[in-house]
mmCIF file of all heavy atoms in Angstrom:
data_model
loop_
_atom_site.group_PDB
_atom_site.id
_atom_site.type_symbol
_atom_site.label_atom_id
_atom_site.label_comp_id
_atom_site.label_asym_id
_atom_site.label_seq_id
_atom_site.Cartn_x
_atom_site.Cartn_y
_atom_site.Cartn_z
ATOM 1 N N LEU A 227 -12.068 0.236 243.528
ATOM 2 C CA LEU A 227 -11.927 1.574 244.119
ATOM 3 C C LEU A 227 -11.899 2.654 243.067
ATOM 4 O O LEU A 227 -12.315 3.761 243.211
ATOM 5 C CB LEU A 227 -10.657 1.696 245.022
ATOM 6 C CG LEU A 227 -10.707 1.031 246.411
ATOM 7 C CD1 LEU A 227 -9.327 0.933 247.008
ATOM 8 C CD2 LEU A 227 -11.745 1.540 247.238
ATOM 9 N N GLY A 228 -11.257 2.361 241.966
ATOM 10 C CA GLY A 228 -11.226 3.316 240.791
ATOM 11 C C GLY A 228 -12.677 3.478 240.188
ATOM 12 O O GLY A 228 -13.089 4.615 239.942
ATOM 13 N N TRP A 229 -13.490 2.411 240.114
ATOM 14 C CA TRP A 229 -14.908 2.524 239.638
ATOM 15 C C TRP A 229 -15.679 3.302 240.737
ATOM 16 O O TRP A 229 -16.422 4.306 240.319
ATOM 17 C CB TRP A 229 -15.461 1.096 239.526
ATOM 18 C CG TRP A 229 -16.865 1.207 239.221
ATOM 19 C CD1 TRP A 229 -17.387 1.249 237.925
ATOM 20 C CD2 TRP A 229 -18.048 1.073 240.044
ATOM 21 N NE1 TRP A 229 -18.733 1.189 237.919
ATOM 22 C CE2 TRP A 229 -19.152 1.176 239.310
ATOM 23 C CE3 TRP A 229 -18.235 0.991 241.402
ATOM 24 C CZ2 TRP A 229 -20.379 1.143 239.830
ATOM 25 C CZ3 TRP A 229 -19.503 1.007 241.965
ATOM 26 C CH2 TRP A 229 -20.560 1.121 241.137
ATOM 27 N N LEU A 230 -15.529 3.098 241.950
ATOM 28 C CA LEU A 230 -16.282 3.843 243.009
ATOM 29 C C LEU A 230 -15.905 5.434 243.075
ATOM 30 O O LEU A 230 -16.824 6.211 242.980
ATOM 31 C CB LEU A 230 -15.958 3.344 244.454
ATOM 32 C CG LEU A 230 -16.603 3.914 245.513
ATOM 33 C CD1 LEU A 230 -18.203 3.857 245.317
ATOM 34 C CD2 LEU A 230 -16.256 3.310 246.844
ATOM 35 N N SER A 231 -14.605 5.637 242.869
ATOM 36 C CA SER A 231 -14.132 7.122 242.847
ATOM 37 C C SER A 231 -14.805 7.689 241.609
ATOM 38 O O SER A 231 -15.206 8.827 241.607
ATOM 39 C CB SER A 231 -12.602 7.052 242.638
ATOM 40 O OG SER A 231 -12.039 6.572 243.914
ATOM 41 N N GLY A 232 -14.762 7.070 240.375
ATOM 42 C CA GLY A 232 -15.280 7.544 239.158
ATOM 43 C C GLY A 232 -16.745 7.893 239.325
ATOM 44 O O GLY A 232 -17.208 8.864 238.938
ATOM 45 N N THR A 233 -17.438 6.866 239.940
ATOM 46 C CA THR A 233 -18.926 7.018 240.156
ATOM 47 C C THR A 233 -19.169 8.294 241.070
ATOM 48 O O THR A 233 -20.048 9.022 240.807
ATOM 49 C CB THR A 233 -19.501 5.792 240.838
ATOM 50 O OG1 THR A 233 -19.284 4.589 239.937
ATOM 51 C CG2 THR A 233 -21.042 5.947 240.973
ATOM 52 N N LEU A 234 -18.366 8.305 242.134
ATOM 53 C CA LEU A 234 -18.624 9.576 242.946
ATOM 54 C C LEU A 234 -18.403 10.901 242.309
ATOM 55 O O LEU A 234 -19.086 11.871 242.559
ATOM 56 C CB LEU A 234 -17.774 9.412 244.322
ATOM 57 C CG LEU A 234 -18.147 8.320 245.213
ATOM 58 C CD1 LEU A 234 -17.191 8.168 246.436
ATOM 59 C CD2 LEU A 234 -19.550 8.442 245.763
ATOM 60 N N ILE A 235 -17.372 10.993 241.573
ATOM 61 C CA ILE A 235 -16.998 12.152 240.789
ATOM 62 C C ILE A 235 -18.233 12.480 239.814
ATOM 63 O O ILE A 235 -18.582 13.705 239.634
ATOM 64 C CB ILE A 235 -15.636 12.091 240.165
ATOM 65 C CG1 ILE A 235 -14.531 12.032 241.157
ATOM 66 C CG2 ILE A 235 -15.428 13.156 239.140
ATOM 67 C CD1 ILE A 235 -13.175 11.718 240.620
ATOM 68 N N LEU A 236 -18.509 11.475 239.140
ATOM 69 C CA LEU A 236 -19.638 11.646 238.164
ATOM 70 C C LEU A 236 -20.835 12.215 238.714
ATOM 71 O O LEU A 236 -21.452 12.979 238.364
ATOM 72 C CB LEU A 236 -19.886 10.318 237.391
ATOM 73 C CG LEU A 236 -20.935 10.379 236.194
ATOM 74 C CD1 LEU A 236 -20.399 11.431 235.117
ATOM 75 C CD2 LEU A 236 -20.982 9.048 235.650
ATOM 76 N N GLY A 237 -21.275 11.512 239.952
ATOM 77 C CA GLY A 237 -22.281 12.041 240.766
ATOM 78 C C GLY A 237 -22.235 13.397 241.149
ATOM 79 O O GLY A 237 -23.267 14.204 241.062
ATOM 80 N N ALA A 238 -21.187 13.739 241.554
ATOM 81 C CA ALA A 238 -20.922 15.131 241.997
ATOM 82 C C ALA A 238 -21.052 16.179 240.842
ATOM 83 O O ALA A 238 -21.821 17.200 241.012
ATOM 84 C CB ALA A 238 -19.565 15.447 242.631
ATOM 85 N N LEU A 239 -20.560 15.774 239.851
ATOM 86 C CA LEU A 239 -20.684 16.638 238.546
ATOM 87 C C LEU A 239 -22.192 16.849 238.108
ATOM 88 O O LEU A 239 -22.774 18.012 237.748
ATOM 89 C CB LEU A 239 -19.933 16.062 237.354
ATOM 90 C CG LEU A 239 -18.468 16.277 237.471
ATOM 91 C CD1 LEU A 239 -17.709 15.618 236.411
ATOM 92 C CD2 LEU A 239 -17.931 17.682 237.600
ATOM 93 N N TRP A 240 -22.938 15.656 238.087
ATOM 94 C CA TRP A 240 -24.305 15.734 237.700
ATOM 95 C C TRP A 240 -25.110 16.416 238.673
ATOM 96 O O TRP A 240 -25.967 17.303 238.305
ATOM 97 C CB TRP A 240 -24.853 14.391 237.559
ATOM 98 C CG TRP A 240 -24.653 13.813 236.043
ATOM 99 C CD1 TRP A 240 -24.435 14.396 234.994
ATOM 100 C CD2 TRP A 240 -24.694 12.370 235.681
ATOM 101 N NE1 TRP A 240 -24.320 13.539 233.992
ATOM 102 C CE2 TRP A 240 -24.434 12.319 234.437
ATOM 103 C CE3 TRP A 240 -24.705 11.164 236.480
ATOM 104 C CZ2 TRP A 240 -24.287 11.100 233.773
ATOM 105 C CZ3 TRP A 240 -24.626 10.040 235.763
ATOM 106 C CH2 TRP A 240 -24.490 9.998 234.496
ATOM 107 N N SER A 241 -24.975 16.243 240.007
ATOM 108 C CA SER A 241 -25.684 16.922 240.867
ATOM 109 C C SER A 241 -25.439 18.428 241.021
ATOM 110 O O SER A 241 -26.359 19.113 241.357
ATOM 111 C CB SER A 241 -25.495 16.292 242.386
ATOM 112 O OG SER A 241 -24.132 16.584 242.757
ATOM 113 N N SER A 242 -24.389 18.897 240.529
ATOM 114 C CA SER A 242 -23.962 20.343 240.481
ATOM 115 C C SER A 242 -24.732 20.985 239.397
ATOM 116 O O SER A 242 -24.652 22.240 239.370
ATOM 117 C CB SER A 242 -22.512 20.659 240.472
ATOM 118 O OG SER A 242 -22.037 20.123 239.232
ATOM 119 N N LEU A 243 -25.524 20.271 238.383
ATOM 120 C CA LEU A 243 -26.170 20.927 237.375
ATOM 121 C C LEU A 243 -27.320 21.686 237.880
ATOM 122 O O LEU A 243 -27.858 22.626 237.198
ATOM 123 C CB LEU A 243 -26.536 19.988 236.376
ATOM 124 C CG LEU A 243 -25.432 19.224 235.598
ATOM 125 C CD1 LEU A 243 -26.052 18.103 234.617
ATOM 126 C CD2 LEU A 243 -24.770 20.073 234.663
ATOM 127 N N ALA A 244 -27.897 21.332 238.991
ATOM 128 C CA ALA A 244 -29.106 21.846 239.592
ATOM 129 C C ALA A 244 -28.719 23.323 239.981
ATOM 130 O O ALA A 244 -27.840 23.590 240.508
ATOM 131 C CB ALA A 244 -29.668 21.090 240.604
ATOM 132 N N CYS A 245 -29.724 24.169 239.665
ATOM 133 C CA CYS A 245 -29.509 25.658 240.020
ATOM 134 C C CYS A 245 -30.817 26.226 240.663
ATOM 135 O O CYS A 245 -31.021 27.387 240.635
ATOM 136 C CB CYS A 245 -29.190 26.397 238.772
ATOM 137 S SG CYS A 245 -28.662 28.102 239.213
ATOM 138 N N ALA A 246 -31.631 25.446 241.330
ATOM 139 C CA ALA A 246 -32.824 25.961 241.969
ATOM 140 C C ALA A 246 -32.337 26.526 243.313
ATOM 141 O O ALA A 246 -31.825 25.784 244.157
ATOM 142 C CB ALA A 246 -33.844 24.800 242.091
ATOM 143 N N THR A 247 -32.339 27.732 243.580
ATOM 144 C CA THR A 247 -31.805 28.339 244.783
ATOM 145 C C THR A 247 -32.784 28.745 245.648
ATOM 146 O O THR A 247 -33.829 29.754 245.277
ATOM 147 C CB THR A 247 -30.842 29.402 244.406
ATOM 148 O OG1 THR A 247 -29.890 28.830 243.625
ATOM 149 C CG2 THR A 247 -30.232 30.011 245.711
ATOM 150 N N LEU A 248 -33.063 28.362 246.896
ATOM 151 C CA LEU A 248 -34.109 28.670 247.803
ATOM 152 C C LEU A 248 -33.949 30.057 248.117
ATOM 153 O O LEU A 248 -32.907 30.649 248.506
ATOM 154 C CB LEU A 248 -33.861 27.892 249.088
ATOM 155 C CG LEU A 248 -35.081 27.679 249.930
ATOM 156 C CD1 LEU A 248 -36.229 27.082 249.356
ATOM 157 C CD2 LEU A 248 -34.721 26.832 251.191
ATOM 158 N N GLY A 249 -35.123 31.022 248.060
ATOM 159 C CA GLY A 249 -35.157 32.254 248.514
ATOM 160 C C GLY A 249 -34.856 33.126 247.303
ATOM 161 O O GLY A 249 -34.984 34.410 247.383
ATOM 162 N N GLU A 250 -34.253 32.742 246.126
ATOM 163 C CA GLU A 250 -33.780 33.398 245.127
ATOM 164 C C GLU A 250 -34.904 33.621 243.962
ATOM 165 O O GLU A 250 -35.875 32.846 243.896
ATOM 166 C CB GLU A 250 -32.630 32.849 244.412
ATOM 167 C CG GLU A 250 -31.388 32.700 245.273
ATOM 168 C CD GLU A 250 -30.680 34.020 245.615
ATOM 169 O OE1 GLU A 250 -30.488 34.759 244.523
ATOM 170 O OE2 GLU A 250 -30.085 34.304 246.626
ATOM 171 N N PRO A 251 -34.885 34.642 243.187
ATOM 172 C CA PRO A 251 -35.915 34.832 242.046
ATOM 173 C C PRO A 251 -35.614 33.602 241.086
ATOM 174 O O PRO A 251 -34.580 33.025 240.948
ATOM 175 C CB PRO A 251 -35.328 35.960 241.358
ATOM 176 C CG PRO A 251 -34.490 36.740 242.138
ATOM 177 C CD PRO A 251 -33.881 35.766 243.114
ATOM 178 N N GLU A 252 -36.794 33.335 240.472
ATOM 179 C CA GLU A 252 -36.814 31.996 239.416
ATOM 180 C C GLU A 252 -35.968 32.393 238.259
ATOM 181 O O GLU A 252 -35.691 31.438 237.546
ATOM 182 C CB GLU A 252 -38.309 31.725 239.167
ATOM 183 C CG GLU A 252 -38.925 32.751 238.130
ATOM 184 C CD GLU A 252 -40.379 32.328 237.850
ATOM 185 O OE1 GLU A 252 -40.597 31.172 237.495
ATOM 186 O OE2 GLU A 252 -41.249 33.274 237.953
ATOM 187 N N THR A 253 -35.663 33.566 237.926
ATOM 188 C CA THR A 253 -34.997 33.895 236.693
ATOM 189 C C THR A 253 -33.672 33.260 236.649
ATOM 190 O O THR A 253 -33.060 33.061 235.565
ATOM 191 C CB THR A 253 -34.800 35.420 236.424
ATOM 192 O OG1 THR A 253 -34.269 36.002 237.695
ATOM 193 C CG2 THR A 253 -36.254 36.044 236.205
ATOM 194 N N SER A 254 -33.022 32.909 237.871
ATOM 195 C CA SER A 254 -31.729 32.307 237.968
ATOM 196 C C SER A 254 -31.749 30.981 237.270
ATOM 197 O O SER A 254 -30.741 30.528 236.758
ATOM 198 C CB SER A 254 -31.354 32.211 239.376
ATOM 199 O OG SER A 254 -32.189 31.417 240.212
ATOM 200 N N ILE A 255 -32.851 30.218 237.301
ATOM 201 C CA ILE A 255 -32.911 28.876 236.702
ATOM 202 C C ILE A 255 -32.801 28.926 235.271
ATOM 203 O O ILE A 255 -32.153 28.052 234.633
ATOM 204 C CB ILE A 255 -34.210 28.180 237.122
ATOM 205 C CG1 ILE A 255 -34.090 26.637 236.973
ATOM 206 C CG2 ILE A 255 -35.353 28.654 236.492
ATOM 207 C CD1 ILE A 255 -33.223 25.940 237.795
ATOM 208 N N THR A 256 -33.473 29.880 234.508
ATOM 209 C CA THR A 256 -33.542 29.945 233.091
ATOM 210 C C THR A 256 -32.254 30.436 232.597
ATOM 211 O O THR A 256 -31.760 30.249 231.396
ATOM 212 C CB THR A 256 -34.665 30.768 232.562
ATOM 213 O OG1 THR A 256 -34.617 32.055 233.170
ATOM 214 C CG2 THR A 256 -35.948 30.066 232.864
ATOM 215 N N ALA A 257 -31.417 31.284 233.371
ATOM 216 C CA ALA A 257 -30.187 31.840 233.023
ATOM 217 C C ALA A 257 -28.893 30.920 233.135
ATOM 218 O O ALA A 257 -27.875 31.266 232.760
ATOM 219 C CB ALA A 257 -29.901 33.161 233.786
ATOM 220 N N GLU A 258 -29.195 29.690 233.782
ATOM 221 C CA GLU A 258 -28.126 28.857 234.080
ATOM 222 C C GLU A 258 -27.771 28.093 232.865
ATOM 223 O O GLU A 258 -28.498 27.215 232.359
ATOM 224 C CB GLU A 258 -28.480 27.850 235.098
ATOM 225 C CG GLU A 258 -27.386 27.056 235.675
ATOM 226 C CD GLU A 258 -26.058 27.729 236.000
ATOM 227 O OE1 GLU A 258 -26.218 28.754 236.849
ATOM 228 O OE2 GLU A 258 -24.981 27.390 235.604
ATOM 229 N N PRO A 259 -26.470 28.275 232.173
ATOM 230 C CA PRO A 259 -26.222 27.461 230.945
ATOM 231 C C PRO A 259 -26.091 25.928 231.295
ATOM 232 O O PRO A 259 -26.104 25.153 230.220
ATOM 233 C CB PRO A 259 -24.957 28.087 230.465
ATOM 234 C CG PRO A 259 -24.259 28.852 231.616
ATOM 235 C CD PRO A 259 -25.476 29.121 232.594
ATOM 236 N N GLN A 260 -25.597 25.572 232.449
ATOM 237 C CA GLN A 260 -25.389 24.175 232.840
ATOM 238 C C GLN A 260 -26.664 23.359 232.637
ATOM 239 O O GLN A 260 -26.618 22.079 232.571
ATOM 240 C CB GLN A 260 -24.753 24.105 234.209
ATOM 241 C CG GLN A 260 -23.375 24.714 234.170
ATOM 242 C CD GLN A 260 -22.929 24.715 235.716
ATOM 243 O OE1 GLN A 260 -23.672 24.628 236.596
ATOM 244 N NE2 GLN A 260 -21.650 24.746 235.929
ATOM 245 N N LEU A 261 -27.778 24.052 232.706
ATOM 246 C CA LEU A 261 -29.032 23.283 232.754
ATOM 247 C C LEU A 261 -29.449 22.901 231.248
ATOM 248 O O LEU A 261 -30.546 22.347 231.017
ATOM 249 C CB LEU A 261 -30.153 24.047 233.435
ATOM 250 C CG LEU A 261 -30.118 23.937 234.918
ATOM 251 C CD1 LEU A 261 -31.139 24.795 235.509
ATOM 252 C CD2 LEU A 261 -30.163 22.559 235.442
ATOM 253 N N SER A 262 -28.639 23.320 230.251
ATOM 254 C CA SER A 262 -28.974 23.000 228.791
ATOM 255 C C SER A 262 -29.214 21.449 228.584
ATOM 256 O O SER A 262 -29.916 21.035 227.712
ATOM 257 C CB SER A 262 -27.959 23.593 227.986
ATOM 258 O OG SER A 262 -26.702 23.032 228.145
ATOM 259 N N ARG A 263 -28.415 20.733 229.501
ATOM 260 C CA ARG A 263 -28.605 19.142 229.392
ATOM 261 C C ARG A 263 -29.767 18.619 230.229
ATOM 262 O O ARG A 263 -30.114 17.557 230.176
ATOM 263 C CB ARG A 263 -27.244 18.599 229.792
ATOM 264 C CG ARG A 263 -26.289 18.870 228.833
ATOM 265 C CD ARG A 263 -24.837 18.285 229.146
ATOM 266 N NE ARG A 263 -24.917 16.924 229.767
ATOM 267 C CZ ARG A 263 -24.048 16.579 230.562
ATOM 268 N NH1 ARG A 263 -23.134 17.262 231.043
ATOM 269 N NH2 ARG A 263 -24.202 15.364 231.070
#
């Protein structure tokens, strides 16, 4: 359960790195500091 919880948290953090926003200007993607990785 600890391993599963850690995996889910890690997955949520990694998936939140994405900043492609539908309907928004593309400039938002290059301005996102979280995408440096």
Side-chain angles (χ1 to χ4, degrees):
L227 288 174
W229 177 84
L230 180 60
S231 298
T233 301
L234 292 174
I235 290 169
L236 186 60
L239 290 173
W240 272 339
S241 66
S242 69
L243 292 175
C245 188
T247 304
L248 198 59
E250 299 281 325
E252 73 177 309
T253 55
S254 65
I255 193 75
T256 57
E258 185 58 46
Q260 296 171 337
L261 285 174
S262 62
R263 294 178 35 209

